[in-house]
Amino acid sequence: MVDEWMRNKRIDEANARMMAEQAVIKMSSKIDWQMKEESKAGLVEAILKSGDAQTLMFHRVPFRPAPPRWSMSGMMTRAALALNCKFKHTPALKGKEAAERLTATHYTVRRSGAVGLTIALLIALVVGIIEFGEPLELVLQMGRDAVRRTAASGDIVVIAKDERSAKLFGGLPWQRRYDAQLVDTLRTMGAQAIVYEQVMADSQNPEDDQALAAAFDRAYGKVWLGALAENNRITGGQDIVLPTPTLRSRTKQAHSMFRYNIIGNVSDISTFEKIGGKTYLSQSVVLAGLKPEARSFKPDYAIDYQSIPKIAAIDVIFGMVDSSAIAGKRVIISVVSDSGAMRYPISGQGKAALSYSFVIAAETMKNGPAKELGYLIPLLLCALIGIACVLRSARWQRSAILVAGAVGLVMLVLVADRLKLHFEIVPALVALSIFGIRDVLRGNVIAAMTTNAVSGLPNLAHLPFVKGAEKSVVVAVKVERFASLVSDMTLPDHKELVESIAARINIIAPDCVVHDGDDGLYVILITPDSVVEVDLVVEQLHALFTEKVVSLDSILKIYVSIGMNDDPNLRFGERVAVATDRALHSAFVTLRQVV
């Protein structure tokens, strides 16, 4: 095996000094240490005396890493092996065989990105638990609402106290005699329910209060006034706000309380609230005319608030509205004047009076509110996407899975929205982004590390990434005097020479990837499922390279060898063996020696 002949190898003094000098250069560059020449010379002598020159330079002692520690990747490796033994009903490995298997699996786990996926999922889980991604979730929700924008049913009408009404009736709030006229007109037009957003907690003059009370009597059972409890910043308690006793006894009350999110949208409406020991339905429930099934629900801002019918209160009072616009419908009387009403954001649609949010909530209740399913299902889908990537080694396959997974995730939430199933998508996007960026960066780093800068061919570091490399036969081709041949060449000529050599090798081994190991060293792995035979490949390589390469005058002499050889000029094979063995963390690489 590789380790046996490496332990017994010896190098002469000249080569040992060269290796020691190169080892010092490598060490100084790695730690960014600008050593003086005398320091370098002293370190070289120390390495020579220790006898470790070849070990430092070429890692002549085979690389046998210890079993993984109890890190995240180590625990994942142990869990993977335990599950594999359990599912395959095989006895657990022991001793040296177990250590080798654990080491090889640990390398596979780290290289696959399983650790990165786990970290990404844990970060996403924390994001979901603490709701750190709420602002982004709201922004994405706006886009989702815009995709499925729908019109209101038209069964709920906003009776607007607008600028025209305010100017004609002396500003806002109105004298209540005008409210009395409005209620009477709506009643005679056939309104099913008349909801005031206002509470009317204060009295005006007795005549107007009495006129409005009489109008409420005439429309008894159809009129709802507001009710709410406000937090008192001084006492820390709640101030209960209800209509005056005179108006309260003649109407029903519905609360106008709500919760809003960080961007000001009405985000959640309770179907009922206890105020002063009494339970009040929400104005949205009254407008919907349905029995509530849930404690609270979110307004569906896919409903276009501009499609909600709006009629100016002044037009109703003066009889300028056809009865069909009111008959059988529920109305909410609200101040919508810019000077008299607070305006709240309607998700992705601008700002409007609060009554529009109540109407959207009522329309949501009529249509059936979405069922909140949280973030775990999208996160699980993201985990499956990541696992699919981990199980694939080809870069294009991983990229395709990530893109397809992201598209699938978006399609899932869009389809779910139409089915009235609401998912939170930000944690899944966080996990997918972290894993995707990490995978792209890792791919770029690996591509740079495993590619020869001059030829563009894979280098020796790419050997372990070849599928089936653990059981492959390694064949190396060494071009004699390659360094002297290319020393006077331009970069394009150098690249053309390498491409020609690689093309000739591919003629013999068409399904094998040629690896460029610099200095005229070329390596291929012949995998167990390859269509070519190793002995035939070696024989034909000798014959093929007796011809000229490119347009050079000289004939290139080719050595094809892997394994030990007494000729110092042929020790290039040792580099391939060590590189392959180190990278694969396995003793199963078959080395083919050819004289």
Side-chain angles (χ1 to χ4, degrees), residues 172-216:
L172 293 170
W174 281 359
Q175 295 297 319
R176 287 183 178 163
R177 67 178 76 114
Y178 304 125
D179 280 303
Q181 295 177 32
L182 181 60
V183 170
D184 281 336
T185 306
L186 291 171
R187 175 179 56 83
T188 58
M189 293 176 73
Q192 189 176 359
I194 302 170
V195 179
Y196 267 90
E197 184 190 328
Q198 298 167 269
V199 177
M200 296 188 179
D202 300 321
S203 298
Q204 287 187 354
N205 59 74
E207 294 80 8
D208 286 354
D209 286 346
Q210 190 58 44
L212 182 57
F216 286 167

Side-chain angles (χ1 to χ4, degrees), residues 70-353:
W70 287 98
S71 59
M72 181 180 293
S73 59
M75 290 187 289
M76 291 174 65
T77 302
R78 288 175 170 86
L81 285 177
L83 290 173
N84 183 62
C85 292
K86 182 177 180 180
F87 290 141
K88 292 186 176 182
H89 304 288
T90 57
L93 300 175
K94 296 181 180 179
K96 183 179 179 182
E97 187 180 2
E100 289 181 355
R101 180 75 177 275
L102 189 64
T103 300
T105 307
H106 183 233
Y107 172 72
T108 303
V109 167
R110 292 183 61 187
R111 194 181 73 180
S112 67
V115 177
L117 175 61
T118 304
I119 293 173
L121 292 174
L122 290 176
I123 292 174
L125 191 61
V126 172
V127 169
I129 291 173
I130 68 176
E131 297 182 351
F132 183 75
E134 184 183 3
L136 179 58
E137 192 76 61
L138 293 173
V139 172
L140 294 175
Q141 186 62 56
M142 290 182 189
R144 291 157 64 178
D145 292 339
V147 169
R148 57 185 186 90
R149 187 75 70 211
T150 57
S153 66
D155 296 335
I156 304 171
V157 181
V158 175
I159 305 299
K161 294 181 178 181
D162 54 11
E163 294 290 351
R164 286 196 303 129
S165 304
K167 289 178 181 179
L168 185 63
F169 293 146
L172 293 170
W174 281 359
Q175 295 297 319
R176 287 183 178 163
R177 67 178 76 114
Y178 304 125
D179 280 303
Q181 295 177 32
L182 181 60
V183 170
D184 281 336
T185 306
L186 291 171
R187 175 179 56 83
T188 58
M189 293 176 73
Q192 189 176 359
I194 302 170
V195 179
Y196 267 90
E197 184 190 328
Q198 298 167 269
V199 177
M200 296 188 179
D202 300 321
S203 298
Q204 287 187 354
N205 59 74
E207 294 80 8
D208 286 354
D209 286 346
Q210 190 58 44
L212 182 57
F216 286 167
D217 284 336
R218 290 188 289 273
Y220 186 76
K222 288 188 175 182
V223 181
W224 299 71
L225 294 179
L228 55 88
E230 296 177 334
N231 293 325
N232 190 313
R233 295 183 180 180
I234 297 176
T235 64
Q238 284 191 326
D239 295 333
I240 298 172
V241 184
L242 295 172
T244 63
T246 301
L247 302 179
R248 192 188 318 160
S249 62
R250 290 170 167 81
T251 61
K252 300 177 182 179
Q253 292 82 50
H255 79 81
S256 55
M257 300 168 65
F258 61 92
R259 298 175 186 84
Y260 56 89
N261 53 37
I262 59 175
I263 63 175
N265 290 337
V266 176
S267 62
D268 188 71
I269 292 181
S270 298
T271 53
F272 61 88
E273 289 281 357
K274 277 195 173 183
I275 301 175
K278 184 178 178 182
T279 301
Y280 295 87
L281 290 175
S282 167
Q283 290 188 352
S284 295
V285 174
V286 175
L287 290 171
L290 298 173
K291 184 178 179 180
E293 297 181 357
R295 177 67 177 82
S296 64
F297 63 95
K298 299 179 183 295
D300 182 4
Y301 287 111
I303 298 170
D304 186 358
Y305 89 92
Q306 293 183 347
S307 67
I308 298 170
K310 182 182 78 169
I311 301 174
I314 192 171
D315 292 337
V316 175
I317 294 173
F318 290 153
M320 300 172 64
V321 179
D322 190 274
S323 296
S324 61
I326 300 296
K329 298 183 179 181
R330 295 173 180 266
V331 302
I332 180 169
I333 301 172
S334 171
V335 176
V336 299
S337 168
D338 291 340
S339 59
M342 291 184 64
R343 303 176 72 82
Y344 290 82
I346 304 292
S347 180
Q349 303 183 57
K351 290 186 176 182

Side-chain angles (χ1 to χ4, degrees), residues 16 44 88 96 291 311 336 382 451 467 480 499 516 561 585:
V44 167
K88 292 186 176 182
K96 183 179 179 182
K291 184 178 179 180
I311 301 174
V336 299
C382 178
T451 303
K467 186 178 180 181
E480 187 185 39
E499 289 174 348
D516 185 356
S561 175
H585 293 191

